[in-house]
Amino acid sequence: QSVLTQPPSVSGAPGQRVAISCTGSSSNIGAGYDVHWYQQLPGTAPKLLIYGNINRPSGVPARFSGSKSGTSASLAITGLQAEDEADYYCQSYDSSLSYVFGTGTKVTVL
Amino acid sequence: EVQLVESGGGLVQPGGSLKLSCAASGFIFSSYDMHWVRQPTGKGLEWVSAIGTAGDTYYLGSVKGRFTISRENAKKSWYLQMNSLRAGDTAVYYCARASLVNPFALDIWGQGTMVIVSS
């Protein structure tokens, strides 16, 4: 069972900004553990999008950005593009359950 | 090219066993922690197990005692031995590499192998 909560879906028109929240607790995000984000395009394996709360791996477009505050984190996509339509997952470490993923958010480009 | 390739998935009856393999290429395998993550069809990701470079192992509570993770550095491979399988273990199983920059992040993933537990 996921201990990190995300909205099931978000949507936006091309060029708009969307944000995905990831809410945890004092045993994971609030305990200071980093949050990482993954993008999963339909029928493919997840891909690391953001690591260490705010860092983008080489090759990830700058329109993806991450932030963290307290027991929550957020992924923002500015200048939404059609190819951004995918499922997005946050991930952290929990002191009781080890590695944990978020419930996942489907991003739809209108 | 950095790559992970899983194999060994298939259909197995409840109570049965299956061994998954993950072959790595394009990087120094022995330097990395390695993980298994699963995803039931149409559902979210669930971390299953990890093995460190020193052979230390970690498991999701519901698989502890049933699954065993191992690695063979000479073959650049690691494995997930799954025993006493249940219907709830049905999922696509991904192997993933932990990042050296931030070891709690998984920076390279395999394509996944399907495990179906059904009579």
Side-chain angles (χ1 to χ4, degrees):
Chain A
Q1 66 281 13
S2 300
V3 297
L4 303 180
T5 302
Q6 300 177 230
S9 64
V10 298
S11 61
Q16 285 189 330
R17 178 185 185 276
V18 296
I20 301 169
S21 61
C22 174
T23 302
S25 68
S26 58
S27 65
N28 41 69
I29 299 174
Y33 295 110
D34 285 342
V35 177
H36 320 289
W37 291 90
Y38 302 86
Q39 177 193 59
Q40 188 175 31
L41 297 170
T44 70
K47 168 192 167 185
L48 181 63
L49 202 62
I50 297 287
Y51 67 92
N53 307 313
I54 61 171
N55 303 291
R56 283 178 287 106
S58 174
V60 172
R63 64 179 183 275
F64 293 96
S65 62
S67 63
K68 174 190 165 185
S69 178
T71 58
S72 296
S74 182
L75 173 72
I77 310 174
T78 55
L80 193 63
Q81 298 187 7
E83 61 258 37
D84 298 334
E85 191 158 285
D87 293 326
Y88 293 82
Y89 294 90
C90 60
Q91 178 243 315
S92 186
Y93 184 85
D94 188 278
S95 56
S96 62
L97 299 176
S98 203
Y99 296 78
V100 289
F101 284 92
T103 48
T105 299
K106 182 175 180 58
V107 170
T108 301
V109 182
L110 301 173
Chain B
E1 180 191 5
V2 175
Q3 195 173 10
L4 300 174
V5 178
E6 301 97 336
S7 60
L11 173 65
V12 61
Q13 292 189 339
S17 298
L18 211 55
K19 186 174 184 177
L20 306 183
S21 300
C22 184
S25 60
F27 63 96
I28 303 174
F29 177 79
S30 58
S31 298
Y32 291 83
D33 297 345
M34 308 300 288
H35 295 248
W36 288 96
V37 176
R38 67 186 179 185
Q39 184 174 36
T41 302
K43 298 191 177 181
L45 301 170
E46 182 176 54
W47 176 82
V48 174
S49 182
I51 185 165
T53 56
D56 43 315
T57 58
Y58 308 88
Y59 298 96
L60 175 70
S62 63
V63 309
K64 201 173 294 185
R66 300 190 298 124
F67 290 11
T68 302
I69 190 172
S70 60
R71 65 190 298 159
E72 197 169 356
N73 289 340
K75 292 188 175 181
K76 300 185 75 173
S77 295
W78 78 105
Y79 311 96
L80 188 67
Q81 175 67 47
M82 304 185 294
N83 299 330
S84 302
L85 282 162
R86 308 166 180 167
D89 296 318
T90 295
V92 173
Y93 284 72
Y94 295 101
C95 57
R97 185 186 82 172
S99 166
L100 283 183
V101 175
N102 188 315
F104 290 97
L106 306 179
D107 65 350
I108 301 294
W109 294 63
Q111 84 287 353
T113 187
M114 186 73 204
V115 172
I116 301 173
V117 183
S118 175
S119 54

